[in-house]
Amino acid sequence: MGYKILCFGIFCVIFAYYIYTPIPENIEECWRVRMIDAVVKTTSLVGTLFEEIGLMKYEDTFLTLSSLHLSKPVSDENVTVIDTNFSDIPVRLYLPKKKSEILRPAIIYLHGGAFVFGSCKMQPYDDLNRWTANKLDAVVVGIDYRLAPQYPFPAALEDSVLVVKFILQDKILDKYGVDPACICISGDSSGATLAAAATQLVCCVSLEV
Ligand SMILES: *[C@@H]1O[C@H](CO)[C@@H](O)[C@H](O)[C@H]1NC(C)=O
Ligand SMILES: *[C@@H]1O[C@H](CO)[C@@H](O)[C@H](O)[C@H]1NC(C)=O
């Protein structure tokens, strides 16, 4: 019994050492960054092990983990949440319920996930997009662009651009009461790359017109 506890203790210490990363103390919510880093590192380790023993591909481990966090489109007292398609691409809409005298801003959000996993329907993104809709009284659109390696580059970028162009149509701006002069494209990680690229492509196209 004592021997087992000792082995378990040593394992914990080695594992803690493995997942430890020095993080600057002066950033906000240091413990949260540390926790996310530990989860990603542990998933990466499990992914490597699973791939080595031929159980599943490395990226599928991340895909499986992210699919555990998917949420349903649940409306609340302030925001109507709808899953639909824009140009055949799945999107999740957050529409503020309160009547507005003026046109609303729109925030288009592209989730991260190294281009291979993640979804705007994951709980943390659902929380973030809902919060943004509430806080800014804005229409928020989360995009589920196609993921690699099943759909290699530039599928994700094509989807992002298609959705942005879909939203920029007069009838869609009218339908959701969006101010065309106040549309923001944003994202995190790989989603931020897509946001930057999509913004450039859409702006270049509109300059040519
Ligand atoms: C709805 O908005 C009110 C006022 O901004 C806020 O206090 C409340 O927490 C919001 N409800 C939800 C579910 O976010
Ligand atoms: C969106 O399109 C997908 C296929 O691309 C389809 O399976 C899904 O049912 C559509 N969803 C809605 C809400 O139309």
Side-chain angles (χ1 to χ4, degrees):
M1 186 66 187
Y3 171 71
K4 280 184 188 162
I5 290 174
L6 183 68
C7 282
F8 183 68
I10 291 172
F11 171 79
C12 287
V13 169
I14 292 173
F15 187 68
Y17 179 72
Y18 170 77
I19 61 171
Y20 175 75
T21 309
I23 289 171
E25 294 295 331
N26 57 355
I27 58 171
E28 236 179 87
E29 298 193 271
C30 199
W31 64 271
R32 198 186 284 262
V33 177
R34 207 178 286 281
M35 202 179 75
I36 293 169
D37 186 65
V39 169
V40 172
K41 260 186 154 173
T42 309
T43 311
S44 178
L45 178 67
V46 172
T48 307
L49 285 176
F50 281 4
E51 182 159 285
E52 286 295 322
I53 60 175
L55 200 61
M56 60 168 80
K57 289 224 201 79
Y58 179 79
E59 61 268 19
D60 288 344
T61 305
F62 280 90
L63 210 55
T64 308
L65 187 78
S66 62
S67 67
L68 294 178
H69 291 274
L70 294 187
S71 60
K72 294 253 178 288
V74 181
S75 300
D76 63 33
E77 48 177 325
N78 305 319
V79 184
T80 304
V81 182
I82 304 168
D83 281 349
T84 182
N85 290 335
F86 280 179
S87 285
D88 289 332
I89 296 145
V91 294
R92 181 168 282 185
L93 304 180
Y94 299 81
L95 309 169
K97 280 186 177 168
K98 208 171 52 192
K99 284 265 172 290
S100 175
E101 295 300 311
I102 53 162
L103 293 174
R104 289 194 157 97
I107 316 285
I108 298 165
Y109 193 86
L110 292 148
H111 68 80
F115 299 105
V116 294
F117 68 95
S119 160
C120 65
K121 293 171 184 141
M122 278 172 74
Q123 194 63 56
Y125 289 119
D126 185 72
D127 291 345
L128 173 67
N129 288 339
R130 190 180 295 270
W131 183 88
T132 308
N134 233 325
K135 199 81 177 170
L136 301 182
D137 191 23
V139 170
V140 178
V141 184
I143 305 178
D144 266 355
Y145 53 83
R146 283 171 296 165
L147 299 173
Q150 191 184 357
Y151 301 101
F153 183 85
L157 183 56
E158 283 169 0
D159 289 359
S160 310
V161 169
L162 273 175
V163 172
V164 174
K165 286 187 177 169
F166 184 91
I167 295 168
L168 290 174
Q169 300 174 95
D170 288 340
K171 62 172 196 247
I172 300 301
L173 295 169
D174 276 356
K175 179 172 178 185
Y176 296 108
V178 168
D179 179 355
C182 206
I183 297 175
C184 150
I185 310 178
S186 63
D188 67 291
S189 194
S190 52
T193 310
L194 290 173
T199 306
Q200 288 201 340
L201 286 174
V202 173
C203 289
C204 290
V205 169
S206 63
L207 280 178
E208 282 165 17
V209 172

Short mmCIF file of all heavy atoms in Angstrom, two decimals, residues 82-91 121, ligand 2:
data_model
loop_
_atom_site.label_atom_id
_atom_site.label_comp_id
_atom_site.label_asym_id
_atom_site.label_seq_id
_atom_site.Cartn_x
_atom_site.Cartn_y
_atom_site.Cartn_z
N ILE A 82 -29.98 31.76 -32.04
CA ILE A 82 -30.49 30.91 -33.14
C ILE A 82 -29.33 30.26 -33.88
O ILE A 82 -28.36 30.94 -34.23
CB ILE A 82 -31.27 31.77 -34.18
CG1 ILE A 82 -32.40 32.56 -33.52
CG2 ILE A 82 -31.81 30.90 -35.30
CD1 ILE A 82 -33.01 33.62 -34.42
N ASP A 83 -29.45 28.95 -34.14
CA ASP A 83 -28.51 28.28 -35.04
C ASP A 83 -29.13 28.27 -36.43
O ASP A 83 -30.26 27.84 -36.60
CB ASP A 83 -28.28 26.83 -34.60
CG ASP A 83 -27.30 26.74 -33.45
OD1 ASP A 83 -26.67 27.77 -33.13
OD2 ASP A 83 -27.18 25.66 -32.86
N THR A 84 -28.39 28.76 -37.41
CA THR A 84 -28.89 28.76 -38.78
C THR A 84 -27.71 28.66 -39.73
O THR A 84 -26.58 28.39 -39.29
CB THR A 84 -29.76 30.01 -39.04
OG1 THR A 84 -30.28 29.96 -40.36
CG2 THR A 84 -29.00 31.29 -38.86
N ASN A 85 -27.97 28.82 -41.05
CA ASN A 85 -26.89 28.79 -42.03
C ASN A 85 -26.87 30.11 -42.78
O ASN A 85 -27.92 30.60 -43.16
CB ASN A 85 -27.13 27.68 -43.06
CG ASN A 85 -26.94 26.30 -42.47
OD1 ASN A 85 -26.23 26.13 -41.48
ND2 ASN A 85 -27.57 25.31 -43.06
N PHE A 86 -25.68 30.66 -43.02
CA PHE A 86 -25.52 31.79 -43.92
C PHE A 86 -24.69 31.28 -45.09
O PHE A 86 -23.56 30.82 -44.87
CB PHE A 86 -24.77 32.95 -43.22
CG PHE A 86 -25.63 33.79 -42.30
CD1 PHE A 86 -25.05 34.84 -41.58
CD2 PHE A 86 -26.99 33.57 -42.16
CE1 PHE A 86 -25.82 35.63 -40.73
CE2 PHE A 86 -27.77 34.35 -41.30
CZ PHE A 86 -27.18 35.39 -40.60
N SER A 87 -25.22 31.35 -46.30
CA SER A 87 -24.51 30.80 -47.47
C SER A 87 -24.12 29.34 -47.23
O SER A 87 -22.99 28.94 -47.53
CB SER A 87 -23.25 31.60 -47.79
OG SER A 87 -23.56 32.82 -48.39
N ASP A 88 -25.02 28.57 -46.63
CA ASP A 88 -24.80 27.14 -46.35
C ASP A 88 -23.72 26.88 -45.29
O ASP A 88 -23.27 25.75 -45.11
CB ASP A 88 -24.42 26.36 -47.62
CG ASP A 88 -25.60 26.22 -48.55
OD1 ASP A 88 -26.74 26.22 -48.05
OD2 ASP A 88 -25.39 26.12 -49.78
N ILE A 89 -23.28 27.92 -44.61
CA ILE A 89 -22.27 27.73 -43.56
C ILE A 89 -22.96 27.91 -42.20
O ILE A 89 -23.66 28.91 -42.00
CB ILE A 89 -21.12 28.74 -43.75
CG1 ILE A 89 -20.41 28.44 -45.08
CG2 ILE A 89 -20.12 28.69 -42.60
CD1 ILE A 89 -19.91 29.63 -45.78
N PRO A 90 -22.79 26.94 -41.30
CA PRO A 90 -23.49 27.05 -40.01
C PRO A 90 -23.01 28.25 -39.19
O PRO A 90 -21.80 28.46 -39.06
CB PRO A 90 -23.14 25.73 -39.30
CG PRO A 90 -22.57 24.84 -40.34
CD PRO A 90 -21.99 25.72 -41.40
N VAL A 91 -23.95 29.01 -38.69
CA VAL A 91 -23.63 30.15 -37.83
C VAL A 91 -24.55 30.12 -36.60
O VAL A 91 -25.61 29.51 -36.64
CB VAL A 91 -23.84 31.51 -38.56
CG1 VAL A 91 -22.86 31.67 -39.70
CG2 VAL A 91 -25.26 31.67 -39.05
N LYS A 121 -20.09 26.88 -31.11
CA LYS A 121 -21.09 26.34 -30.19
C LYS A 121 -20.47 25.85 -28.88
O LYS A 121 -21.19 25.44 -27.98
CB LYS A 121 -21.85 25.21 -30.87
CG LYS A 121 -22.67 25.75 -32.02
CD LYS A 121 -23.28 24.71 -32.90
CE LYS A 121 -23.97 25.42 -34.05
NZ LYS A 121 -23.83 24.74 -35.32
C1 LIG B 2 -27.23 23.96 -42.38
O1 LIG B 2 -26.57 23.25 -43.39
C2 LIG B 2 -26.19 21.93 -43.02
C3 LIG B 2 -25.38 21.35 -44.14
O2 LIG B 2 -24.42 22.24 -44.59
C4 LIG B 2 -27.43 21.12 -42.71
O3 LIG B 2 -27.06 19.84 -42.27
C5 LIG B 2 -28.22 21.83 -41.61
O4 LIG B 2 -29.42 21.14 -41.40
C6 LIG B 2 -28.52 23.25 -41.98
N1 LIG B 2 -29.12 23.90 -40.83
C7 LIG B 2 -30.13 24.76 -40.91
C8 LIG B 2 -30.59 25.33 -39.62
O5 LIG B 2 -30.63 25.07 -41.97
#
